[in-house]
Amino acid sequence: LGCGLLELVKNVDLSASNTLGLAARAQSVLCIDNDASLAAVCEAVRGHGVQRVLGGGSNVVLAAELPGVTVQVQTRGVQLLTQSAQARVVQAQAGECWHDFVQYCLAQGWPGLENLALIPGTVGAAPVQNIGAYGVELAQRFHSLVAWDLQAGRVVEMGLQDCQFAYRDSVFKRAAPGRWLIVAVRFCLPVRWQPVLDYPDLQRYVDLQGVASDAVEAQDVFDAVCAIRRSKLPDPAVLPNAGSFFKNPVVTREQYLYLARTWPDLPAHAQAGGFYKLAAGWLVEQAGWKGKRVGAVGMHERQALVLVNHGGATANQVLALAAQVQASVQQRFGVLLEQEPVVFS
Ligand code: FAD
Ligand code: NAP
């Protein structure tokens, strides 16, 4: 690969490139490394159009046949750009593995991303759904990013406002698939670091280790997040899945109070603007789906929010089960669950 020498590889098997383990073939794949240029990419895809960008495939549902060009970003590298008394700005190339990047930052003494440890996928995909876990979301640690606008054929630098981050959402998730190619992401990491231990699981784990609250270090948080995730979540390498299949619904205070009258145990967290975030996993479990299997697919026995492929599932089976779960939650609670993974067809 190199400028002007990008090659479109035809008929590529992507079954090992998506964590749901769906059998899928791309008509053609274009891999982009550090030597590729925007001009070369535009030239390579001219006449075909980029249909989609694929990272680690951990938040997608792939159809069996994917027409047109699928772009995979394999750019690598991490760099400390600036450091002041308040913050460090660290840039990572889009093809870096997210978890390795978090670990690398910790090893350099740059804390701030530890709550987001062990989220599968690439750095380039992280802004797409504003990844979040254990009380921290990417937007809180975001500085800017560099993207290629493949529709307009130009390089753009985007700041916090441009990305329109929201709960597991951004301008990239809403845009036409394949419009933006994120090539590098810059993070703003605090020099005066404070642990974020709001989530009960995390606090409990740290307490159990006997670490005093004022002595907690970023490595302790990282270890806790990794241990909790390993104990709760199915490993896609063992039981293929795409993580949480639905977002936690956010409802009005009136709707929450109405539901809580019938279901006083309903877990909910107050949000800005008087809204309430409900635990989608609880809703799915109460609707009777925890551990339930429908043919090749099912909802996980420990985490009702995680849709799993027991073997040989198709995108249609995945989406049919998701629709059934949505319908029964809607019928029981009057709440519409929004799907989190992106569908590629
Ligand atoms: P892909 O699945 O390949 O793509 C996802 C989307 O990003 C697609 O729309 C794709 O077009 C786009 N995209 C990918 N790369 C680029 C790029 N370079 N430029 C432009 N667009 C791009 N998510 C969370 O938020 N929090 C969690 O705690 C979490 N836990 C998970 C646990 C498990 C077990 C699994 C399987 C998934 C989990 N996820 C979680 C979802 C997923 O890991 C994240 O959304 C992740 O950021 C997806 O990265 P990816 O590289 O696999 O992206
Ligand atoms: P959990 O800790 O059992 O909590 C259940 C739900 O309650 C979570 O969805 C979380 O919302 C919310 N919550 C808990 N404590 C909260 C607090 N102090 N303030 C606000 N909200 C709170 O959740 P879990 O299922 O084991 O997952 C742990 C974390 O990993 C969560 O942040 C979850 O989003 C993340 N995760 C995400 C995926 C994915 O694919 N998207 C997969 C696995 C885990 P939030 O989800 O909004 O944080």
Side-chain angles (χ1 to χ4, degrees), residues 133-134 167-168 198-199 232 243-244 248 269 277 303 340:
Y134 294 100
Y167 183 61
R168 305 289 191 270
D198 303 337
Y199 276 43
K232 287 182 89 169
S244 305
N248 288 327
H269 291 92
K277 181 180 72 179
Q303 275 280 8
E340 187 179 288

Side-chain angles (χ1 to χ4, degrees), residues 80-89 109-110 189 191:
L80 176 64
L81 295 183
T82 62
Q83 175 158 358
S84 71
Q86 282 78 40
R88 302 178 176 95
V89 177
W110 308 333
L189 304 180
V191 169

Side-chain angles (χ1 to χ4, degrees), residues 78 90 92 96-105 113 123 187:
V78 178
V90 179
E96 287 289 336
C97 161
W98 173 262
H99 176 72
D100 291 352
F101 169 60
V102 172
Q103 214 166 5
Y104 176 83
C105 289
L113 297 172
V123 164
F187 299 86

Side-chain angles (χ1 to χ4, degrees), residues 89-146:
V89 177
V90 179
Q91 172 172 287
Q93 297 298 314
E96 287 289 336
C97 161
W98 173 262
H99 176 72
D100 291 352
F101 169 60
V102 172
Q103 214 166 5
Y104 176 83
C105 289
L106 268 191
Q108 304 307 305
W110 308 333
L113 297 172
E114 53 288 335
N115 292 56
L116 303 175
L118 228 52
I119 297 180
T122 55
V123 164
V128 175
Q129 76 153 357
N130 180 21
I131 57 167
Y134 294 100
V136 173
E137 60 178 21
L138 174 128
Q140 291 165 261
R141 304 284 185 258
F142 181 80
H143 180 274
S144 58
L145 60 76
V146 181

Side-chain angles (χ1 to χ4, degrees), residues 6-30:
L6 287 169
E7 203 190 334
L8 278 175
V9 183
K10 303 265 186 244
N11 193 23
V12 178
D13 182 359
L14 294 180
S15 41
S17 303
N18 71 101
T19 62
L20 256 173
L22 302 176
R25 297 198 83 81
Q27 189 181 354
S28 53
V29 168
L30 182 69

Side-chain angles (χ1 to χ4, degrees), residues 13-344:
D13 182 359
L14 294 180
S15 41
S17 303
N18 71 101
T19 62
L20 256 173
L22 302 176
R25 297 198 83 81
Q27 189 181 354
S28 53
V29 168
L30 182 69
C31 287
I32 294 182
D33 67 8
N34 292 24
D35 292 333
S37 69
L38 173 59
V41 173
C42 290
E43 174 66 28
V45 300
R46 187 182 298 166
H48 307 271
V50 174
Q51 304 294 323
R52 62 198 74 78
V53 182
L54 186 63
S58 64
N59 211 22
V60 289
V61 178
L62 303 185
E65 301 291 335
L66 297 170
V69 182
T70 300
V71 173
Q72 282 189 311
V73 189
Q74 296 174 350
T75 53
R76 306 301 297 265
V78 178
Q79 224 182 331
L80 176 64
L81 295 183
T82 62
Q83 175 158 358
S84 71
Q86 282 78 40
R88 302 178 176 95
V89 177
V90 179
Q91 172 172 287
Q93 297 298 314
E96 287 289 336
C97 161
W98 173 262
H99 176 72
D100 291 352
F101 169 60
V102 172
Q103 214 166 5
Y104 176 83
C105 289
L106 268 191
Q108 304 307 305
W110 308 333
L113 297 172
E114 53 288 335
N115 292 56
L116 303 175
L118 228 52
I119 297 180
T122 55
V123 164
V128 175
Q129 76 153 357
N130 180 21
I131 57 167
Y134 294 100
V136 173
E137 60 178 21
L138 174 128
Q140 291 165 261
R141 304 284 185 258
F142 181 80
H143 180 274
S144 58
L145 60 76
V146 181
W148 293 351
D149 180 341
L150 295 173
Q151 266 174 25
R154 61 192 175 101
V155 181
V156 288
E157 196 174 320
M158 298 169 80
L160 197 62
Q161 299 305 321
D162 304 314
C163 297
Q164 297 172 27
F165 290 123
Y167 183 61
R168 305 289 191 270
D169 196 28
S170 73
V171 71
F172 309 104
K173 201 157 179 178
R174 292 189 292 270
R179 170 167 182 189
W180 306 100
L181 189 68
I182 297 169
V183 289
V185 186
R186 297 172 189 144
F187 299 86
C188 185
L189 304 180
V191 169
R192 283 184 207 177
W193 174 86
Q194 291 285 327
V196 179
L197 296 170
D198 303 337
Y199 276 43
D201 272 359
L202 208 47
Q203 185 66 62
R204 216 174 295 129
Y205 184 93
V206 172
D207 288 348
L208 275 176
Q209 303 304 302
V211 187
S213 296
D214 58 356
V216 172
E217 293 184 6
Q219 187 66 43
D220 298 322
V221 180
F222 176 89
D223 292 344
V225 169
C226 291
I228 299 165
R229 291 184 72 107
R230 287 197 174 106
S231 72
K232 287 182 89 169
L233 284 170
D235 177 356
V238 179
L239 187 55
N241 71 84
S244 305
F245 209 83
F246 302 103
K247 296 181 193 181
N248 288 327
V250 177
V251 300
T252 60
R253 181 180 154 79
E254 291 68 36
Q255 197 176 359
Y256 164 63
L257 292 176
Y258 175 77
L259 289 168
R261 250 183 271 146
T262 315
W263 291 280
D265 296 337
L266 171 64
H269 291 92
Q271 307 289 289
F275 292 97
Y276 280 77
K277 181 180 72 179
L278 310 180
W282 188 91
L283 298 173
V284 173
E285 184 176 345
Q286 293 297 311
W289 286 99
K290 192 175 191 177
K292 214 169 187 178
R293 189 171 166 165
V294 182
V297 287
M299 303 311 290
H300 192 246
E301 59 191 16
R302 282 198 311 274
Q303 275 280 8
L305 201 48
V306 177
L307 190 156
V308 295
N309 173 5
H310 289 289
T314 63
N316 283 344
Q317 289 168 334
V318 167
L319 298 177
L321 174 60
Q324 271 183 280
V325 172
Q326 269 170 329
S328 62
V329 167
Q330 169 104 61
Q331 192 181 25
R332 196 170 164 89
F333 300 101
V335 173
L336 179 64
L337 293 182
E338 195 185 328
Q339 187 172 308
E340 187 179 288
V342 178
V343 180
F344 284 159

